[in-house]
Structure formats: C-alpha cells, structure tokens
C-alpha cells in the first residue's frame, strides 16, 4: 500500500542534541500528524497540523506543515533519553475539524539517544 | 476514562484459520478505524466504521471484514489466514469534529 517517504530511517544521537526528520508525499494532504510509538504500544499523537505553512510546537517538539502540502517536518530540541522510540508521520486528505478518514503513514524514524 | 482497548493482546493462529479481534473505542468516540502494522513498517489503513457501516476501505482483500455494534465497539475478522497476515493490528477511535485519533495498544497476531 501507499506510504509516505519518511527520512531518515534511523538516528543515533547524543543526549542534548537536536533532531530533525521529514516526510514527503507525491500527493497533497490537508492534515499532517506526527506520532511516537514505543515498543509494545500503539502510536501516540504528538502534534497535529491543519494549515499549509503552519508551525506548531509541543514542548521541545516543533512541526511544520509544508507550503506545498506535500511535506512535513518534525524537530526535537535538546533530546533526552525518553525521546527514544519510533516516530511516524501521517497524512490525511481531510481537513481538520472533519473526520480524518484514512491516514497514510510513513515508514517511521527510529530514534536512539545515547546518555 | 479508559482509552481504546483491544483484545486479545497476543494470539497465534494456524494458516487457513479465521481470527476475530475486538476493539472498544474511547468513551464518547463513535468512529473506529483498523490498521495493520507489519514489523518495521508504518500502520496501513484497513477500513473505518461509523454508524455501524463501513465508510472507507484501504487496499485489503475481502478476507478482511469488520463490524461495528450500536455501542460503537468493533470487530475485525480475517478469514483464510496467510503467513503474511502476521502483524500488529491497531484499532483507532475518534469523534469529529476537532478529532484527535487515539490508538489502542494493538493485537499481535502470529500466523504459523
């Protein structure tokens, strides 16, 4: 099935470093979401983006909805050990405020943080 | 307030058998979606149920079917299991508008 192109596939960083990851699509999405998934758990929503160009923060996390509506970026500042996990981007063709319908996910970015 | 709950947590089935997975949505949520997540991959959309009807479907064969009950709980049924059906099956619930989607912890299915 279709997936978004998410990069990098994995990252190994030192505690305190900043992290950047991105997601691209050949199709336009009207909503972009970023999730974190820990082992044995379901994905947990980190940030939701509803407008092209939108920049939204959640603590040390900042995400942007690309102007073309075909990409999105997630930054994590001053990483800490509990940031370890798999990060997924997801796109929906539906606009915020309506049912998301089908979400298309990226392949995930595995983040490892060394103390 | 309980979140999305799924059962069973883990199960092992033999190729050719049938399986039923269950999901109770978060309180107040009326829309349930099912996703398949193979090891090392992102979740893939199977289908979505709203008002007891399948509203949208992903690229999955008819062996995958579902049901939603009046209390909004849902079941995912997979017939004639294949080895490739081994995956984590995630249930997600939401309530439009302004709808955050909540995922359950999933049901791990192993087909041998």
């Amino acid at each position: 099935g279709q997936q978004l192109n998410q990069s990098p596939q994995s990252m190994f960083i030192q505690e305190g470093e900043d992290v950047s990851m991105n997601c691209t699509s050949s199709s336009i999405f009207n909503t972009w979401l970023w999730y974190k998934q820990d082992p044995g758990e379901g994905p947990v929503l980190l940030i939701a983006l509803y407008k092209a160009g939108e920049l939204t923060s959640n603590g040390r996390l900042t995400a942007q909805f690309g102007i073309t509506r075909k990409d999105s970026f997630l930054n994590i500042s001053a990483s800490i050990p509990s940031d370890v996990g798999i990060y997924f981007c997801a796109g929906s063709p539906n606009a915020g405020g309506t049912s998301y319908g089908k979400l298309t996910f990226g392949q995930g970015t595995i983040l490892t943080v060394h103390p | 307030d309980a979140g999305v709950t799924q059962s069973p947590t883990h199960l092992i089935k033999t190729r050719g058998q049938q399986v039923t997975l269950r999901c109770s949505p978060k309180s107040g949520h009326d829309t349930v979606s099912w996703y398949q997540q193979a090891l090392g991959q992102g979740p893939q959309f199977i289908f979505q149920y709203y008002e007891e009807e399948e509203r949208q479907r992903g690229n999955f064969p008819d062996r995958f079917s579902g049901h939603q009950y009046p209390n909004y709980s849902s079941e995912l049924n997979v017939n004639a299991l294949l080895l490739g059906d081994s995956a984590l099956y995630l249930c997600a619930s939401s309530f439009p508008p302004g709808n955050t989607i909540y995922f359950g912890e999933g049901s791990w299915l192993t087909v041998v």
Side-chain angles (χ1 to χ4, degrees):
Chain A
Q2 179 191 5
Q3 283 196 325
L4 301 174
N5 295 316
Q6 188 172 345
S7 64
Q9 288 187 331
S10 61
M11 303 182 73
F12 298 84
I13 62 170
Q14 291 292 129
E15 183 177 357
E17 290 184 354
D18 295 344
V19 172
S20 293
M21 58 190 78
N22 68 81
C23 207
T24 61
S25 170
S26 57
S27 305
I28 287 175
F29 288 105
N30 290 308
T31 299
W32 283 91
L33 307 168
W34 284 92
Y35 285 87
K36 179 174 184 271
Q37 187 174 27
D38 292 327
E41 306 282 332
V44 174
L45 182 66
L46 300 174
I47 293 180
L49 302 159
Y50 302 114
K51 293 182 181 179
E54 179 182 359
L55 187 71
T56 298
S57 293
N58 178 8
R60 294 178 295 105
L61 278 62
T62 301
Q64 184 161 24
F65 189 144
I67 293 176
T68 64
R69 289 189 286 163
K70 292 184 178 182
D71 57 8
S72 181
F73 308 87
L74 176 70
N75 295 312
I76 304 173
S77 62
S79 59
I80 58 178
S82 63
D83 291 333
V84 167
I86 305 176
Y87 291 79
F88 289 100
C89 61
S92 168
N94 299 345
T98 63
S99 172
Y100 286 131
K102 170 185 175 181
L103 288 183
T104 300
F105 280 81
Q107 306 99 314
T109 295
I110 302 171
L111 179 63
T112 303
V113 180
H114 295 287
Chain B
D1 176 23
V4 179
T5 57
Q6 294 186 240
S7 63
T9 306
H10 297 82
L11 70 166
I12 300 174
K13 290 286 189 177
T14 303
R15 190 171 46 183
Q17 284 188 318
Q18 177 265 345
V19 67
T20 297
L21 308 178
R22 296 177 175 81
C23 172
S24 292
K26 184 176 172 60
S27 178
H29 286 191
D30 61 359
T31 303
V32 173
S33 301
W34 286 92
Y35 289 80
Q36 180 195 65
Q37 185 176 21
L39 203 61
Q41 299 292 319
Q44 296 276 334
F45 177 80
I46 302 175
F47 42 54
Q48 183 183 77
Y49 276 83
Y50 173 70
E51 291 188 342
E52 303 179 51
E53 290 191 358
E54 183 182 294
R55 181 162 62 176
Q56 200 169 1
R57 189 178 184 93
N59 188 25
F60 280 80
D62 292 344
R63 297 186 298 109
F64 290 77
S65 63
H67 188 79
Q68 186 179 35
Y69 294 93
N71 67 352
Y72 307 129
S73 67
S74 176
E75 290 180 352
L76 165 65
N77 301 293
V78 186
N79 295 323
L81 285 168
L82 304 174
L83 297 179
D85 294 331
S86 296
L88 176 66
Y89 288 85
L90 294 163
C91 173
S93 75
S94 59
F95 178 75
N99 41 144
T100 298
I101 298 177
Y102 290 86
F103 281 85
E105 295 187 352
S107 293
W108 282 100
L109 171 65
T110 301
V111 182
V112 298

